[in-house]
Amino acid sequence: MNEKVMQVPDERGHFGPYGGRFVPETLMAPLEELERAFREAQQDPEFHRELKELLETYAGRPTPLYEARRLGAELGGARIFLKREDLLHTGAHKINNCLGQILLARRMGKRRIIAETGAGQHGVATATVCALFGMECVVYMGEEDMRRQRLNVFRMRLLGAKVVPVRTGSRTLKDAVSEAMRDWVTNVETTHYLLGSALGAHPYPLMVREFHRVTGEEARRQVLERTGRLPDAVIACVGGGSNAIGIFSAFIPDERVALIGVEAGGRSLAPGEHAARFAGGAPGVLQGAYSYLLQNGDGQVLLTHSVSAGLDYALVGPEHAWLHDQGRAEYVSASDREALEAARRLARTEGIIPALESAHAVAEAIRRAPAAKGQIFLVNLSGRGDKDTDIYRENFPELDQNDGIE
Amino acid sequence: MESSERIARRFEAARAEGRPALIVYLTAGDPCPERTPSLALALERGGADILELGVPFSDPIADGPVIQQASDRALKAGTTVERVLEIAAEIRRRSEIPIVLFSYLNPLLRYGFDRLCGDARTAGVDGVLVTDLSVEEAEEPAESLRRHGLDRIFLAAPTSTDRRLDLVARYSSGFVYVVSRTGVTGARDTVNRAVEDLVRRLRARTPLPLAVGFGISRREHVEEVGRYADGAVVGSAVMRVVDESADGVLEERLEGLCRELSGKR
Ligand SMILES: Cc1ncc(COP(=O)(O)O)c(C=O)c1O
């Protein structure tokens, strides 16, 4: 298994049967151009130097590895280490990928940047790098997500981006991706599509993984330094799969390290109530890639639900499908309620309010830790929870009594 | 299995008459599946040479608002792939118009691509165009289509490099669908002039008929395209009429639209 798992994707972007390039012909040449630019940049020391400098001086890398001792003690089992991607500039891991892609866009001479966003974290990170490089920025966002992530909508606008509401379908992330693709197919000459997860047509899943690989490489080094050994399990939430593949990638060759992806279990695992692709999906094609997809018997894409906008998407990134089928990674789900409770628990034991997405990973660590005495868990804390304050307020009304003060 | 040749013969007939073939797109199941055969026959009466029967999909990334909404309505009316094949069979019982299934890949994959090809051929379908299936990924599907005697219609786009046009020419049969401009489907006031150059680049690579689509909505567009291409494809203009016409006059309106587009008075 090992050799095969490590050498994906092939030159056409296939992770075993998954991935590939399923787009209208108009987008094929631009994808080829992007792939060429990416491969050239990978060979260019100056590109790496500039990216490294931005990651360190602008984004705040390396991020700390923090041991959640009080949480660990309460659970009485595994030691839990948090990779603090929430401390990055803009508040989530998304900035790693955005800095990489904006440098590529500049190399390709594209001055207009478009992006989709769910939770708004990728939109904010994109708006940020566009401000930094003086580029035009248009972000597509489902109307439903604009409602539940209002703060991020405002942040994007403050950063100079145009936020375009998407009113088709479920008005969430999937529909925002479709609108961004329609914009791209119309404006390919001038525009780079800064896709925010390990999704879409080749080379995006490869490229996004490579830009997030830094998380895993740092974390692996840090865990070794601190504990003298590798972790027993690496746990990350999986929307499209970028923060997860970023931290997993450094550990894939370490066969004894369990890789655990946590999908959104939503309200229940009934169709339409969740976004757990590995629990309720089957292989299919959506928005450029072949992977596990939540779909009905007629190949129509199902609506999804998650309390966390960033995990609310019908397709999982193709490399995760491959890791799943190879048995190299395991995929589980955490419900809305479990994620909310995990967030509150982390806040109270460690003084860290996580993003709802990341809270799904924390929930899985909480579930497993008691039975894992002597083990080390590494959890990717992909983002911070400020953006989710309104949702936390709605869900913990008992904390929102203002003693009668209006 | 041999191709039905229906598509090739229609292009030859149009050429003999010195006019471009009129290829008309219709989303199957809009406003409801029972109605589609009758709408298709109205298009043919008005002068449509080839029918592109659209399989509705929940996430049509290559389509503008008009066809997106047509897809939504068709899905709400309960249109499935199986139902689209029944519709095709019903049209075939009543007409010899060539039928091209026009679909996104996922519904066909879910049905089983090879099974789809067999059932489509039995239903009287002549060719298949899959919007999001690039030639790179098409090896297996193209083989299924060939084995079942279905024409394989691929897209060529203004962004296509010479290398890509070579591949498109090699994989296609029936005709090549030439996308007139970068963008999604939708009616426009003018046809992009640059498409003439794309047609010329393809001519050097294939003897197949070349049909130009995207943005064509009027008789003058069809005439303009007819000066250098073998066919013109009209889609959103048709679906807009389906959307906007009162139920009782749908057939009449569609026939009228095709009469105008084809110049058949
Ligand atoms: C903090 C955070 N974590 C995770 C995700 C999910 O994306 P991915 O699976 O690509 O990491 C998001 C997406 O918006 C996010 O904002």
Side-chain angles (χ1 to χ4, degrees), chain B residues 17 46 53 84 86 98 103 114 131-132 183 187 199 207 216 230 233 240:
Chain B
E17 292 170 23
L53 193 59
V84 175
E86 287 167 18
S103 185
D114 197 66
T131 316
D132 53 353
V199 166
I216 294 180
D230 311 295
V233 189
R240 182 182 294 152

Side-chain angles (χ1 to χ4, degrees), chain A residues 21-39:
Chain A
R21 205 172 253 171
F22 295 92
V23 294
E25 173 63 22
T26 307
L27 290 179
M28 289 299 289
L31 286 165
E32 288 173 356
E33 180 196 355
L34 178 60
E35 183 187 354
R36 209 175 315 117
F38 172 66
R39 294 202 190 275

